[in-house]
Amino acid sequence: MTTDFWADADAHLLRYGATWVPEIIARAEGSFVFTESGRKILDFTSGQMSSILGHSHPDIVATVQKGIANLDHLYSGMLSRPVVDLARRLAESLPDPLEKVLLLTTGAESNEAAIRMAKLVTGKHEIVSFARSWHGMTAAAANATYSAGRKGYGPTAPGNFAIPVPDSYRPDFTNPDGSLDWTKQLDVAFSLIDAQSTGSLAAFIAEPILSSGGIIEPPLGYFTALAEKCRERGMLLILDEAQTGLCRTGTWYAFERDGIVPDILTLSKTLGAGLPLAAVITSAAIEAEAHARGFLFFTTHVSDPLVAAVGNTVLDVLEREQMDARALELGNVLRAGLLSLQSRHSVIGDVRGRGLLQGIELVLDRETKEPANDLGADIARRCLELGLHMNIVQLPGMGGTFRMAPALTSTEADLELGLDVLDQAIDEVTAESRAA
Ligand SMILES: Cc1ncc(COP(=O)(O)O)c(C=O)c1O
């Protein structure tokens, strides 16, 4: 029976906030996805920012095939070698005292568990995060998410607060030279938190680079100061490295740049390289306290062996191919290309990011930084027509920002192709808008 794909999609898919890419995707391999109509599209978002090894990496394929045939899913109280191996290897990849690992499924779930643990261990309940954060769609994660989806779902848990984002391109607190005065911004933010707090500050949860917030990289020194604010208040610092973890930014973990160690680290997207695997990692002391207080996070897919085996394979490939150095190298190529585009297209107001997580913000005028929102959607559409999938973030108060997160297995030719398509799309769309 032949059916109409798009009519069926309209009739039967519940819309969850995505705008459908108007192509039926038949297959994905390496840095590309292939449409049913025979088009080859360069995937500059590595799926949903997850497939760091490209699509259907042969090692992952082999691991899944073996796992599904031999050791798929178990009772949640049963342990298997892939789970304990992955826990040990993650601990070995991290600085002390991060050594205790909980293996879960999604990013939201890992943040849910981290926040739950922080509340139990501190005996407090207030959670602070950035005003443009994204930590997931489950209750506690969504309560700490401010970039989207807050309106219309009733009250969040009491005691969720946001602080402003240290956005160097659009500084709100400024030094005499106009640059961001993040020290002042952070001091004022915490004076407001202290004013609102009922004395129950449990944790701050942050992305080291705010991705859904528009690829905002807090300045060097910021996280040291933030960690100190947390310490002064007896709050735990949770870092959510869903997108930045596992080599993407040029180091194994993005927090390495800052010389701090979080109390709790969450990993997801990149850990399974496209398959549903997440981790919560903390110190033995915090884990012991949580356990003593009866920590419960018993789920269907906790400690599942198949995805844990995938996680081990992801680590094998990252180590074998020295992907941290590779991400840095490729990141330099991508960044140089984006800076060169910026020198030719006045619509590119800012180029920012680290390693293979880069962003460009579009403006109508570089002086006034007037946001260029519609243009971004038009450029993304044209890129797709030309064979490049891009993701654009549109938030109030900033221009449409493209998020680029190509696979770490990309070739330089893949990156050059993406840059060329983007160049052409910007050319054409800006010429059209000038003519209009
Ligand atoms: C930084 C960050 N944390 C958490 C999440 C939520 O992860 P998931 O969608 O797997 O629940 C996302 C998803 O985009 C994310 O970008």
Side-chain angles (χ1 to χ4, degrees):
M1 186 177 76
T2 57
T3 57
D4 182 334
F5 180 92
W6 292 111
D8 283 352
D10 275 348
H12 299 299
L13 289 185
L14 191 156
R15 287 161 288 183
Y16 47 84
T19 306
W20 311 131
V21 173
E23 293 276 359
I24 305 175
I25 308 302
R27 193 168 73 79
E29 186 184 341
S31 304
F32 293 88
V33 299
F34 299 82
T35 71
E36 270 192 7
S37 60
R39 297 182 61 226
K40 181 177 174 182
I41 297 173
L42 181 61
D43 181 4
F44 248 34
T45 61
S46 50
Q48 189 58 40
M49 320 295 270
S50 301
S51 304
I52 46 169
L53 305 183
H55 295 280
S56 300
H57 188 285
D59 293 21
I60 302 284
V61 172
T63 300
V64 172
Q65 283 174 340
K66 188 169 163 221
I68 200 70
N70 291 291
L71 188 55
D72 54 355
H73 158 82
L74 295 173
Y75 170 69
S76 299
M78 285 181 180
L79 290 179
S80 57
R81 290 205 176 270
V83 165
V84 176
D85 283 347
L86 181 57
R88 176 183 41 76
R89 291 179 69 183
L90 283 173
E92 283 167 2
S93 76
L94 284 159
D96 288 343
L98 296 175
E99 58 182 309
K100 288 282 197 170
V101 181
L102 172 69
L103 295 178
L104 299 167
T105 309
T106 65
E109 194 191 23
S110 64
N111 291 327
E112 202 73 28
I115 289 170
R116 198 170 156 89
M117 184 180 285
K119 287 179 179 173
L120 187 67
V121 164
T122 60
K124 301 189 281 184
H125 71 274
E126 290 168 341
I127 304 292
V128 189
S129 48
F130 284 123
R132 275 191 243 152
S133 55
W134 185 296
H135 297 293
M137 296 284 94
T138 57
N143 285 176
T145 292
Y146 291 90
S147 67
R150 277 193 96 75
K151 309 276 188 288
Y153 303 97
T156 58
N160 278 265
F161 306 117
I163 70 164
V165 175
D167 181 344
S168 302
Y169 182 60
R170 295 180 183 276
D172 42 12
F173 289 76
T174 50
N175 293 306
D177 66 358
S179 63
L180 174 68
D181 184 349
W182 59 262
T183 314
K184 181 79 169 292
Q185 188 200 42
L186 190 61
D187 285 346
V188 172
F190 268 86
S191 70
L192 289 173
I193 296 299
D194 289 339
Q196 294 168 87
S197 169
T198 58
S200 191
L201 289 165
F204 194 106
I205 179 165
E207 299 157 74
I209 297 175
L210 286 89
S211 176
S212 305
I215 312 290
I216 305 294
E217 185 184 30
L220 196 58
Y222 186 91
F223 279 107
T224 312
L226 178 61
E228 181 58 20
K229 297 276 187 218
C230 290
R231 205 195 51 75
E232 288 165 3
R233 290 161 180 79
M235 302 166 74
L236 301 186
L237 176 61
I238 303 170
L239 286 185
D240 173 357
E241 294 231 21
Q243 299 200 14
T244 52
L246 303 178
C247 299
R248 177 173 266 153
T249 67
T251 48
W252 270 75
Y253 301 98
F255 71 73
E256 289 173 43
R257 180 204 71 161
D258 301 276
I260 56 146
V261 179
D263 297 296
I264 306 179
L265 173 70
T266 61
L267 302 173
S268 50
K269 295 176 184 283
T270 57
L271 181 60
L275 276 93
L277 174 64
V280 180
I281 305 146
T282 192
S283 64
I286 290 174
E287 191 271 349
E289 188 61 33
H291 178 69
R293 294 180 183 219
F295 183 65
L296 179 68
F297 210 85
F298 193 98
T299 72
T300 304
H301 293 293
V302 67
S303 298
D304 248 359
L306 173 57
V307 283
V310 169
N312 279 305
T313 301
V314 172
L315 297 189
D316 288 342
V317 178
L318 295 177
E319 285 165 8
R320 187 180 73 216
E321 317 268 329
Q322 298 179 354
M323 284 296 190
D324 48 348
R326 183 71 182 142
L328 201 60
E329 208 179 305
L330 288 172
N332 288 338
V333 172
L334 182 58
R335 191 178 182 81
L338 293 172
L339 289 170
S340 150
L341 291 189
Q342 186 185 32
S343 70
R344 274 175 291 124
H345 299 287
S346 62
V347 72
I348 301 181
D350 194 28
V351 176
R352 54 186 181 243
R354 207 188 308 164
L356 278 179
L357 183 62
Q358 295 285 330
I360 56 174
E361 182 170 338
L362 305 178
V363 291
L364 292 176
D365 181 319
R366 276 201 193 153
E367 284 299 306
T368 65
K369 301 183 181 173
E370 189 185 337
N373 286 328
D374 296 345
L375 217 54
D378 290 345
I379 293 169
R381 202 172 307 116
R382 187 64 189 132
C383 282
L384 189 71
E385 287 164 5
L386 294 168
L388 171 67
H389 181 251
M390 296 275 281
N391 173 272
I392 185 147
V393 176
Q394 284 181 315
L395 291 173
M398 59 185 275
T401 300
F402 283 114
R403 294 191 295 169
M404 279 157 274
L408 276 49
T409 47
S410 301
T411 60
E412 291 193 17
D414 294 338
L415 300 184
E416 298 298 347
L417 174 65
L419 289 161
D420 285 349
V421 171
L422 182 59
D423 191 15
Q424 183 182 341
I426 297 176
D427 247 347
E428 292 178 7
V429 170
T430 51
E432 270 167 31
S433 79
R434 273 195 303 273

